[in-house]
Amino acid sequence: MIFQIDKSQKQIQKAVQDFVKGEFKKETIGQLLEKNVFPEDIWKKASKLGFIGIHYPEKYSGQGFGTIENVLVVEELCRGDSSVGTCLSKSGQGAEFILRYGNETQKKTWLPKLAEGEVLSSAAITEPGLGNDFFLSETTAVKDGDDWVIDGGKTFVVNGGSLCGFYVVLCKTTSDVPGNDQKFSTILVEADREGIDVFDVGHRLGGRLMFISKVNFNRVRVPIVNLIGQEGLGLVQVAAYLSENRIVAAAQCLGIAQGAFDRSFAYVKKREQFGRKIVDFQVTRQKLATMATQIASARLLLYQAAWHLDQNGASEKLTAMAKLQASRTAVAVCDEAIQLLGGYGYIQEYEVERFYRDAKVADLLDGTEITQRNIIANELMRGKI
């Protein structure tokens, strides 16, 4: 268990903070927001500095660090800016399928491209109307000679679009086994394959710089060797992936919360009301104390979940708790930050309204509050106190 990051980790944290100060220019981000476009230049610069895929092995262009270091990077990026930070943090969405279960060819082909900022990646596992009921998925992959032929549609596909290099697609590969446990597999589908159609999901409350898409697969052919891991273990892989991904999602939420707190704290220290600084009012200090405590508790739970993953593998209970606590904290802190700024809190120039919108999207993506509570309750019923 760690309660304080070490010297090497502090250096990583400082490096990201310096990057944010140099590259997250308000004018640049304003232009991105005006056009609702992915921050491609900033993403490529972050990749060159090794912030993307920092937990990949060095032979795949990573830095060979662990989950804790990745969490520190994500937290600081989202603290610097909720919208740009989230885009960078999710640039390797779905890559853990390759990292944990892929064959050597898949790893050598794709992980370096992700770490070096050549492509984005995407996990296409959710279908319209199903939410997290993955065992009801209807997307199929049928063997035809040396190929899989994939048919179906996925939604809320992060990074689906022009910069995507590949999709990890959850498919029903057999119907001959009893139950659902072994009917599904994950398959790597290169984004330039014929038969793939991509559509934006539409205008969104937050997360407006990200690609979030509906992706249809119409008789898309990929080689049999594009299977990720073993056939029939798709749902097992998805469960493990989601558990690990919740840690990254929690780090995003934590960074957003800290960023909103930073901005509101700076504001109340300067702003005067009735001849006094707002920070000198007791009610303001009470609010700041509550916000800081919420952030600190979420951070400790997140670091514990990350430490556990590095030491023993992911704990579903801990990762769900970390995501639940961090996402609830992000929404609450951002809401309070708007209150502290008053009318200015609703003005885009002061940023906290956007942090709130991005916090709400982060609260919903990667498993809602209800989903996290269900996971925690199920783990408790299994005796995992």
Side-chain angles (χ1 to χ4, degrees), residues 306-318:
W307 175 87
H308 193 284
L309 190 152
D310 284 338
Q311 299 297 316
N312 307 301
S315 161
E316 276 207 283
K317 185 188 75 170
L318 278 178

Side-chain angles (χ1 to χ4, degrees), residues 59-350:
K59 64 179 179 178
Y60 305 128
S61 297
Q63 302 295 313
F65 288 108
T67 309
I68 289 286
E69 289 78 10
N70 191 36
V71 160
L72 293 174
V73 171
V74 171
E75 181 183 346
E76 291 301 328
L77 289 173
C78 292
R79 179 183 183 179
D81 186 80
S82 60
S83 301
V84 173
T86 299
C87 287
L88 271 56
S89 303
K90 288 187 172 293
S91 62
Q93 189 86 341
E96 269 62 38
F97 282 102
I98 305 300
L99 181 63
R100 308 301 179 197
Y101 306 108
N103 59 44
E104 192 61 21
T105 299
Q106 292 167 347
K107 292 177 181 179
K108 285 182 176 179
T109 300
W110 292 109
L111 294 181
K113 292 182 179 180
L114 293 172
E116 294 167 15
E118 293 183 30
V119 298
L120 302 176
S121 60
S122 189
I125 57 178
T126 300
E127 296 189 6
L130 297 185
N132 291 322
D133 293 333
F134 302 116
F135 58 90
L136 297 177
S137 299
E138 293 296 328
T139 298
T140 59
V142 178
K143 290 179 182 178
D144 182 21
D146 293 331
D147 291 339
W148 294 103
V149 180
I150 300 174
D151 282 285
K154 302 292 184 177
T155 192
F156 293 108
V157 180
V158 174
N159 295 336
S162 59
L163 295 176
C164 185
F166 67 90
Y167 300 94
V168 174
V169 186
L170 178 67
C171 302
K172 184 183 292 185
T173 49
T174 180
S175 57
D176 297 335
V177 295
N180 289 300
D181 290 350
Q182 298 178 6
K183 287 183 178 180
F184 296 90
S185 307
T186 56
I187 299 174
L188 188 155
V189 180
E190 296 89 347
D192 58 358
R193 293 278 175 180
E194 291 187 10
I196 299 176
D197 295 309
V198 182
F199 311 90
D200 190 86
V201 296
H203 295 293
R204 303 184 289 276
L205 174 71
R208 295 179 181 177
L209 302 188
M210 289 191 296
F211 298 100
I212 303 181
S213 309
K214 295 178 285 186
V215 182
N216 292 333
F217 301 90
N218 181 21
R219 297 196 59 78
V220 177
R221 303 183 74 93
V222 300
I224 290 290
V225 294
N226 279 28
L227 177 73
I228 299 174
Q230 297 181 38
E231 185 175 349
L233 294 183
L235 292 182
V236 174
Q237 294 174 4
V238 166
Y241 162 74
L242 292 176
S243 186
E244 184 170 354
N245 201 51
R246 282 192 288 268
I247 294 178
V248 176
Q252 293 163 358
C253 292
L254 178 61
I256 290 172
Q258 186 67 63
F261 177 85
D262 293 343
R263 286 157 175 79
S264 60
F265 190 29
Y267 177 83
V268 299
K269 287 192 293 184
K270 293 181 179 179
R271 175 74 170 171
E272 290 188 5
Q273 195 86 32
F274 308 113
R276 297 169 61 189
K277 295 285 178 63
I278 295 178
V279 75
D280 292 331
F281 289 95
Q282 186 179 33
V283 65
T284 301
R285 295 191 174 201
Q286 292 289 316
K287 290 176 182 291
L288 291 170
T290 298
M291 295 160 74
T293 301
Q294 290 171 321
I295 291 170
S297 63
R299 181 174 286 115
L300 284 172
L301 191 52
L302 169 60
Y303 287 6
Q304 181 185 11
W307 175 87
H308 193 284
L309 190 152
D310 284 338
Q311 299 297 316
N312 307 301
S315 161
E316 276 207 283
K317 185 188 75 170
L318 278 178
T319 61
M321 284 181 170
K323 170 60 165 62
L324 175 64
Q325 184 72 5
S327 62
R328 292 287 78 203
T329 293
V331 173
V333 168
C334 290
D335 181 53
E336 199 67 87
I338 292 175
Q339 297 295 327
L340 287 172
L341 268 71
Y344 292 109
Y346 297 92
I347 299 176
Q348 291 184 7
E349 179 185 350
Y350 289 83

